[in-house]
Amino acid sequence: MQAMQGRGHEKQLSVDLVRQAADHRRFLAAVHLSPLSLYTRSPDLERAIHEYTDNFLPLLAGWTESSPPPPPPLEVAWVWQLHKLDPTAYARDCVKAFGRVVGVHPRQPPFSFSPAPTNDVAPVARSAEDQGQATPFSISTDIAASAERQAGFLWQVRWAQYSREEWLRDAEQRYRMMLHLMGQDHARFIVPTYDIDLMWHTHMAYPGEYREDTLRLAGRVVGHDDSVNDRAEGSKLTTCAANTRNAWMDLYGTPWARPGGMWQGDPP
């Protein structure tokens, strides 16, 4: 990539997003191919939400062993990722229920999952004390609405270039550039390209690391609003994308748009 003005984007992240982005895409493909209905309000998604709130996250919050807990079923891992895509709400919900933000176990990547569906997974044996700690909690995020919005994300990042390591390394650098740009004006709504967005979604899968990294690179814990998706002329999305394009060029002297990293149209 060309030489760029500013130095903030040169700060490194604490997560290898290039490697994790590959796992993320495989995870999204598994969700897409699941026989369960996970992109809309459905009994399947409701069961997954209940399993997540009643068992999985309370168990993870109280887990103290060096070995990782059992991986969640795919649909529960999907709910977890959707919850984390609203980092502000995720942190608020965790602190309210557990007194801290629940992060990823160091020996279990966030896109790990069990192939068995929720109803087929045996409950983990816990002591009476552990069971008392694993109380259900409530989610302030509308998980079903988030699932509907994220239904087309795999289509945008399924293309061959997203499998190339060099291309993803450039995407990771561009993501750090976006965080640095966000730090220049906290009120500005920055629009990512899809190569950047893949890195952003992957980073949010690590709540603790995401918080620390965005504080370092952007000067704040960066929120994420995926409800801005109206592509009509004059909409917030198109207006802010144009503003992002200009601000990016002003700061870095290189194009914001990237061939292969832009919107690929609606899924068929």
Side-chain angles (χ1 to χ4, degrees):
M1 299 181 69
Q2 301 174 15
M4 296 160 290
Q5 301 175 13
R7 311 293 292 184
H9 63 277
E10 296 180 358
K11 295 178 181 178
Q12 299 301 306
L13 302 173
S14 57
V15 178
D16 182 353
L17 294 185
V18 172
R19 182 169 62 86
Q20 291 304 319
D23 288 345
H24 189 180
R25 290 175 67 239
R26 286 190 286 270
F27 171 75
L28 293 175
V31 172
H32 184 72
L33 294 172
S34 171
L36 303 178
S37 177
L38 300 178
Y39 287 153
T40 189
R41 298 183 191 278
S42 67
D44 291 331
L45 190 59
E46 285 300 316
R47 280 193 296 271
I49 292 171
H50 284 302
E51 177 65 19
Y52 172 72
T53 60
D54 294 359
N55 293 306
F56 172 71
L57 203 62
L59 173 65
L60 184 60
W63 195 265
T64 58
E65 299 181 22
S66 59
S67 59
L74 172 64
E75 62 272 25
V76 176
W78 174 234
V79 172
W80 190 25
Q81 176 65 4
L82 293 172
H83 194 190
K84 289 183 290 186
L85 288 181
D86 186 345
T88 303
Y90 181 80
R92 182 177 60 243
D93 295 344
C94 285
V95 170
K96 181 179 179 180
F98 311 116
R100 63 180 180 85
V101 177
V102 180
V104 176
H105 191 282
R107 295 176 60 186
Q108 187 175 88
F111 302 112
S112 302
F113 62 90
S114 166
T118 297
N119 292 342
D120 293 342
V121 176
V124 178
R126 292 178 287 186
S127 67
E129 181 181 359
D130 289 337
Q131 291 174 4
Q133 293 174 349
T135 55
F137 73 106
S138 60
I139 303 177
S140 59
T141 300
D142 186 337
I143 294 295
S146 178
E148 291 171 0
R149 291 193 298 269
Q150 292 301 316
F153 187 67
L154 175 62
W155 174 258
Q156 305 300 331
V157 300
R158 67 177 291 273
W159 308 96
Q161 60 270 24
Y162 286 89
S163 299
R164 297 199 294 268
E165 182 175 341
E166 182 178 357
W167 201 85
L168 290 174
R169 292 205 177 280
D170 281 346
E172 191 266 355
Q173 181 181 11
R174 282 164 48 81
Y175 170 61
R176 287 186 280 115
M177 292 164 65
M178 183 192 77
L179 292 178
H180 179 57
L181 179 60
M182 287 176 165
Q184 306 303 298
D185 182 353
H186 291 184
R188 178 188 289 149
F189 188 90
I190 298 297
V191 177
T193 55
Y194 274 96
D195 62 316
I196 294 173
D197 214 20
L198 175 62
M199 296 296 161
W200 195 2
H201 286 206
T202 303
H203 199 191
M204 285 185 284
Y206 291 83
E209 292 85 346
Y210 180 79
R211 175 183 175 82
E212 296 301 320
D213 288 343
T214 56
L215 278 170
R216 283 191 300 107
L217 272 74
R220 61 188 170 97
V221 180
V222 174
H224 178 256
D225 182 2
D226 65 354
S227 67
V228 181
N229 48 31
D230 179 4
R231 297 182 179 276
E233 189 68 28
S235 68
K236 179 178 180 179
L237 180 62
T238 57
T239 300
C240 291
N243 293 339
T244 300
R245 183 189 307 268
N246 294 334
W248 190 284
M249 180 59 75
D250 289 344
L251 182 60
Y252 297 121
T254 191
W256 163 79
R258 183 187 191 189
M262 310 309 290
W263 187 58
Q264 301 288 342
D266 291 322

